[in-house]
Amino acid sequence: MTLSIKLSMGDFGKTAPLVIGYRCLREGAPITLISSAASFTKKEEAWLITALNNSRASGKSDELRTITNPEGQLIVAVALPQKSDLEGLRRAAGVASRTLLGYKRATFAIACKDGNEFTAIVEGAALGAYHFHQFKGSHELPASLEQISFTPGRVIKSAQATIKRSEILVAQVRFVRDLINMPPSFLTPERFISLVKENLPSNVRASVKTHTQLKSEGYGGITAVGQGSANPPRLLHLSYKPTKTKKKLAFVGKGITFDTGGLALKPAQGMEAMKSDMSGAAAVVGAIIAIARLKLPISIDAWAPLAENMVSESATRPSDIITIYGGKTVEVLNPDAEGRLILADALVRAAEVTKDLDGIIDVATLTGAQIVALGKRTAAVMGNNEQLQERFLNAARTAGESFWPMPLPDELRASLDSPVADLANIGERMGGMLVAGLFLREFVPADLPWLHLDIAGPSFNEDQAHGYTPVGGVGFAVRSLTHFAEVTATG
Ligand code: BES
Ligand code: ZN
Ligand code: ZN
């Protein structure tokens, strides 16, 4: 596991690479250094600017130049956004970290105007420094950044607190990325739980329902999805109850450790990405651990229904009728629409266990339609409470994750009617993301404020790395959920 990264204030001096920023209004225009490097003389600055000019730096986003100075120190210069743009700063710092593969330490000497800019740089630097090497066989793996030091160039009042918070938050984003990147034969439902337990702080309680318990206690959704696999399903419940709390939230995350589509088998091409179908479960686990480590005054329950959706003689058949926890029956017309089945069980259970929740949020790589609608980098938010949705969207924006509100149109609900059960698990194809949201709504009490986050696109990056986002598991939604808990706790 690649959990820890040590963040600190100060300068490693000439022994470690130095990251600075620059701005340039357009190609060919004069370059301004945005550096707080204590060691720079006027002469060195002029030398660097010449070197950047010679390298035809134009200042556009994600641009970066590496220069070795006459003393042999590596200088990484990253283009910073022109105007005030915290996400742009976060990305720029991430670009710098990603290029520092092979180094264990670096100093980030990007000058900051205020605490918000400083936070963005710290987060971006730490998030970009992630690499997943656990399953590489070679002994000559490049080093990854283990320590990053920061010099903001002016006194930032809460600098130490920012460093501490970022260390906690980023450790959990990295944990979630690790879980997503692990191969599915390794990351079975049971292994998921044991890795979570290893990472659990002492102020979070875990309880697990086994396959036998799920069957006998009526969790028909999780059972139906998991019964085709040799790796049996589980329901993981984590709970963080600080002594001084007024607010209570529940998170529910989709934990399909691999989605073959079941008897509605997916095409071979692209199926490998379905190891990421547990990204929602990983995100809610990462968030509750971050919240508990930050000791936020808010009570959180996190639920992770875990199952592997496989093809076998014991797999659920199209037309099978199952009973979700709480008694509603569902005709499984398509075993590839499995996420909603395991979430339905967990949503009902979550609302039953904790009374007077201030909100319940489910997180899931639920539909391909989400990606068609919003692309690969923007997730969707649906729900039954506009106020909660607005508050979440604001928190997500501050956290630097892209979410967009989507409707739950009533006219689509009838498409989920079944002639033989209370509900079918698929409906109208057009607007498939919204239909999935409407399905889930059936399992949430009408008076309980609820949000559904469909993160199918942004949770797994199959393209190039960009900003602070690596290839593979992204760790999406951890930062938004954690920040949402921060604002809910204090609001
Ligand atoms: N896990 C998939 C959704 C998905 C697709 C996530 C691509 C990430 C990338 C989900 O279980 C699924 O297969 N959904 C079906 C639903 C359909 C059968 C109604 C889909 O989107 O095609
Ligand atoms: Zn599926
Ligand atoms: Zn799925």
Side-chain angles (χ1 to χ4, degrees), residues 277-346:
D277 214 18
M278 33 54 72
S279 297
V284 302
V285 166
I288 191 175
I289 296 177
I291 291 163
R293 288 204 185 278
L294 291 167
K295 302 197 168 64
L296 299 182
I298 181 166
S299 146
I300 308 280
D301 286 286
W303 298 84
L306 296 155
E308 190 180 35
N309 191 20
M310 294 293 272
V311 189
S312 81
E313 62 183 16
S314 56
T316 294
R317 303 154 193 79
S319 78
D320 270 345
I321 296 176
I322 63 172
T323 306
I324 300 296
Y325 187 75
K328 280 193 181 144
T329 60
V330 175
E331 184 185 13
V332 182
L333 291 177
N334 189 327
D336 196 13
E338 82 297 341
R340 59 197 75 181
L341 304 177
I342 66 169
L343 288 171
D345 273 346

Side-chain angles (χ1 to χ4, degrees), residues 254 256 259 274 277 336 338-339 365:
K254 171 178 173 182
I256 296 295
D259 184 9
M274 287 301 114
D277 214 18
D336 196 13
E338 82 297 341
T365 48

Side-chain angles (χ1 to χ4, degrees), residues 93-113:
V95 170
S97 280
R98 276 197 293 109
T99 64
L100 286 167
L101 184 61
Y103 294 88
K104 289 196 168 165
R105 303 188 310 165
T107 304
F108 275 64
I110 300 173
C112 304
K113 277 209 307 273

Side-chain angles (χ1 to χ4, degrees), residues 247-272:
K247 299 284 173 55
K248 289 188 222 168
L249 292 176
F251 301 152
V252 180
K254 171 178 173 182
I256 296 295
T257 57
F258 194 73
D259 184 9
T260 64
L263 290 173
L265 190 64
K266 286 181 183 292
Q269 199 185 358
M271 200 200 277
E272 68 280 2

